[in-house]
Amino acid sequence: MPKEKLVVIGNGMAGCRAVQEVLKRDPDRYEITIFGAEPRVNYDRIMLSPVLAGEKAFEDIVLNDEAWYRDNGIALHAGHAVTQIDREAKVVRTASGLAEPYDRLLLAMGSDPVRLPLPGADLTGVVTFRDLDDVEAMVAAAAKPGAKAVVIGGGLLGIEAAYGLVRRGMGATVIHLMDVLMERQLDASAGFLLVEAMAQRGVDTVLGAQSEEIVGEGGKVVGLRLKDGRVLPCDILVMAVGIRPNVALARDSGLEIGRGVIVDDAMRTSDPAILAVGECAEHRGQCYGLVAPIWEMCKALGQTLTQGEGAYEGSVLSTRLKVSGVDVFSAGKFGGGTECEDIVFRDAGRGVYKRVVLENGKVAGAVLFGDAVDGPWYFDLMKSGAEVADIRETLIFGQTVTEGLRGLDPSAAVAAMADEAEVCGCNGVCKGEITGAITGQGLSTLDSVRAVTKASASCGSCTPLVEKLLKLTLGDGFQVQTGPKPVCGCTPKGHDEVRRRIVAEGLKSIPAAMQGLEWTTPDGCASCRPALNYYLLCAWPGEYRDDKQSRFINERAHANIQKDGTYSVVPRMWGGMTSAAELRAIADVVEKFDVPAVKVTGGQRIDLLGVKKDDLPAVWADLNAAGMVSGHAYAKGLRTVKTCVGSDWCRFGTQDSTGLGVRLEKFMWGSWAPAKVKLAVSGCPRNCAEATCKDIGVICVDSGYEIHVGGAAGLHIQGTEILTKVASEDEAVWTICAITQLYRENGWYLERIYKWMARVGLESIKAQVEDPEARKALYDRFSYSQRFSRIDPWAERVAGRHAEEFTPLSRRMEFAPS
Amino acid sequence: MNVLVKDPIAWTDVGAVTDIPLRGARRVPTPDGDIAIFRTGDGKVFALKDACPHKGGPLSQGIVHGHAVACPLHNWSIDLASGEPMGADRGKGCTPVIPLEVRDGRLLLGRS
Ligand code: SRM
Ligand SMILES: Cc1cc2nc3c(=O)[nH]c(=O)nc-3n(C[C@H](O)[C@H](O)[C@H](O)COP(=O)(O)OP(=O)(O)OC[C@H]3O[C@@H](n4cnc5c(N)ncnc54)[C@H](O)[C@@H]3O)c2cc1C
Ligand code: SF4
Ligand code: FES
């Protein structure tokens, strides 16, 4: 009996693996013919990245050489693309004139790389990254000295392409539309670390960048223009923006197509004589772009083609990046979700970030950066749906630690740990060193153990273990102590430590701070993000880019939100002074925008209440036109400087209190602080400006200026204390700016001056501002920071900054029937 | 045979995913009040009625953290996937979830 004829279209990863699965089960059943568009034998496509990087040669990545085809009696038509499937006659044909009849046909045509339809996309030098020809084109371009590459697409492929090109001596920049590299596999924290790791390897990254046009000269690519106008020069442009299943052939022959060729669990298409596997197949609505699911598909297919019914049920995916020295693993719901719990571990010293996501007591996903050895273990736990409640405490430390402690009760487990067992991964401290220090040096507190051994002094995640060791060694002699109040639930660290280390370690962004300070959540919370944003802003004036998403709505919208979702607008009235022109402009705005309420505030200025958010920029434009700027009535920063009429008019006035108030407000406006800062200047001790219940107050007297600090009259009524007395107005200004700066640099977020003063003591503040040199240094830092702060946020928004904040995303549903 | 046919959902394209800042939100006005669309730090998107179950605060104006938003008025944390208050305020009402789909980077809001 003649053998059945099996014809395979596609000599790639899936096609050849499928043939192997068939041969394994029934080597004599079929006469096999393979068509491959590429003029070469079957190779390992995923290893093209190391080939590009020069770490491997083509010979190293061949999966099946000519001998394999020969020994298995397989006819290979390499370099012949099939152009037609005649389902009625059961024949496939190629453009080169070959025709091959089949009993069973297997489609394994893979995918085509997506080419963005940008102007200039057809220029020479615009390439994709899919096969050996692409690699050879890139290697050839890299041979030119000083050549540069731009890679569009910050996914796995784009990053591997850029890395490979840099290894070949090119400069490479990755352009990514999203704000996180590999966002489909990584969360923001891991994406941030990847940007840094790539930068260390010479690959630049531009995030949130939209490509507009590929610029050419003489038919050759010379650069890429972005939407924002920037042009990135390049000699080669790699598009790595995704893949599209290769289905044209199947569509033309009338097979059922979705995104890919639709197959059932047995890998059959809508024509039972035709099967499909690999990236060109769509199974249960899913197309895959990785090899692991392809291997599983091929098993089911081997079964179907030999022993009956195969059953593929879909795959769970995991990803690894192939960039030397950058260990990345991701699987499942790595980004967390409802009902999910995160366990996060960071080790700033080693650049490690691990996040394991639990759902209903089971592992639902993981993302690992910097140390991915436990990736397969988490992946197994996830796929098997194992209950992990009893290993939860040690899960994040990986398989070795967890299995070492399994089944032991916690204190017995600690007692049973070998002296050489590592307790603190960050600082490499083992159990013996800790117990030795406790007994040898008579330590009895966590802090002293930290100080002597460094155990639990970094990320703090081994703190419970260290405490157990203390308890075990000391018995009842140990009492759990409380350290400084943590910033929030995302970190055990206190505000002081966070502030100090941001400066000392040069941490200049929120992701950098969260990694450097080993935050235990992936992206912080509504408490710590505004705090970190302020600390960074204060530490790096002019350099730090404010993160508007980490600001409370009032500071993001530069107006105060009201109970009904409208806003109030308070323009500055310097020192409480105003004019007919200002009042007229305010009146005009009130009428023009139908502002429902106008009120004189307790801060000597006028509040326009009930403005609709969409109207804010227009309201501000009119106020700006009359010379008024934001009163920052919403700010953790300088609010008002109240004044009284003083020597200009008052029969008791000793100094120009109004003038000093205006001068202070004009110099200090726009400054951000841990909490609000209110000032007042009274012209005499009768104190009509209520200066003695302000954060900083001035009482003018005949011989000069008394400077008071630490008042409040809100939730807590607190009179000021007198700090110092100075003789001149200049000195008063210097001193007040110096105190403000000291507070800006040392206060905890949301801690008002009076609370800060109670914590650090009036004397310590006095010492700093009475010492002329210290005072000058503080004043200089304040002035420097003010160079970047005295910018009217309203005018910036009138000019279009963050326009999206003030406009709805779309008005297309406004009149839609519900 | 009885076949249950669900009302097909009418989808409206309201913009691109990237029109919403990461850890941010945008509003879509409708005759029944605003809808808030959120984009979390890991790039996921969620749509809720733009009204807090507490006193109706506009959730689109809150700080987005993890898969939750802190209401701008009194700081309740609302779960973006379910619209339910979290933590101590759990069980005190719920904000309606609006059908939302992403196709080719576009946001489609559904009305059923
Ligand atoms: C408008 C105004 C009331 C008025 O109609 O007069 C006002 C309105 C608000 N005050 Fe006030 N305070 C106003 C003067 C005061 C004063 C009087 C003063 O500054 O001389 C005080 C007491 C002095 C003090 O600050 O110690 C005052 C103590 C507070 C407090 C308690 C602060 C504290 O540390 O205990 C809060 C709550 C807070 O800040 O957390 C607060 C918070 C608020 C907020 C911002 C509540 C909020 O978060 O929405 C109100 C905003 C309304 C708005 O949208 O404009 N307001 N508030 C005053 C605006 C002053 C200005 O021109 O900027
Ligand atoms: C650079 C790179 C790195 C990668 N890294 C990884 C990784 O680390 N991990 C991972 O899991 N996956 C990775 N992948 C993806 C993986 O390589 C693919 O998922 C896999 O190759 C798909 O197998 P396939 O057989 O479906 O398609 P292919 O391997 O592309 O094979 C399809 C073959 O069919 C041929 N063909 C198409 N049409 C016709 C026709 N009409 N006639 C004849 N022949 C035709 C094509 O020329 C091609 O040779 C990577 C891919 C690339 C390009
Ligand atoms: S006293 Fe209370 S109600 Fe009045 S403005 Fe201040 S915060 Fe609002
Ligand atoms: S209205 Fe949202 S917390 Fe009160």
Side-chain angles (χ1 to χ4, degrees), chain A residues 288-304:
Chain A
Y288 294 96
L290 293 170
V291 294
I294 294 178
W295 298 163
E296 293 173 23
M297 285 182 200
C298 287
K299 276 195 190 132
L301 178 111
Q303 182 81 5
T304 305

Side-chain angles (χ1 to χ4, degrees), chain A residues 177-180 183 186-188 210 333-339 355 523-526 529-530 547-553 556-557 561-565 567 613-614 803-818, chain B residues 12-32 35 37 39-44 46 55-58 60-67 70-73 75 79 81-82 90 107 109-112:
Chain A
L177 182 63
M178 298 294 172
D179 311 275
V180 176
E183 80 287 348
L186 300 184
D187 66 359
Q210 296 199 29
K333 291 188 176 179
F334 63 85
T338 350
E339 309 295 314
R355 176 181 186 186
D523 69 351
C525 68
R529 288 223 318 267
D547 178 27
K548 117 185 208 297
Q549 296 315 140
S550 294
R551 287 200 180 255
F552 180 65
I553 181 61
R556 193 169 356 121
I561 194 164
Q562 305 294 311
K563 58 189 274 190
D564 61 354
Y567 287 79
K613 193 177 187 193
D614 298 11
E804 80 284 354
E805 180 72 48
F806 304 98
T807 46
L809 174 62
S810 159
R811 296 200 176 276
R812 293 191 56 199
M813 291 180 77
E814 220 161 13
F815 306 107
S818 59
Chain B
T12 308
D13 183 324
V14 291
V17 172
T18 46
D19 290 342
I20 307 179
L22 275 184
R23 293 178 206 82
R26 300 283 302 274
R27 300 164 281 147
V28 176
T30 81
D32 305 329
I35 293 172
I37 309 188
R39 183 154 166 246
T40 55
D42 53 22
K44 300 221 167 59
F46 300 89
K55 293 192 173 175
S60 60
Q61 313 293 295
I63 292 185
V64 176
H65 56 100
H67 283 189
C71 176
L73 292 195
N75 212 26
D79 183 289
S82 66
R90 193 172 221 118
L107 294 161
L109 268 184
R111 271 173 286 120
S112 44

Side-chain angles (χ1 to χ4, degrees), chain A residues 93-107:
Chain A
R93 297 197 175 83
T94 68
S96 51
L98 299 176
E100 189 71 34
Y102 65 83
D103 296 303
R104 299 290 196 115
L105 178 64
L106 175 59
L107 307 181

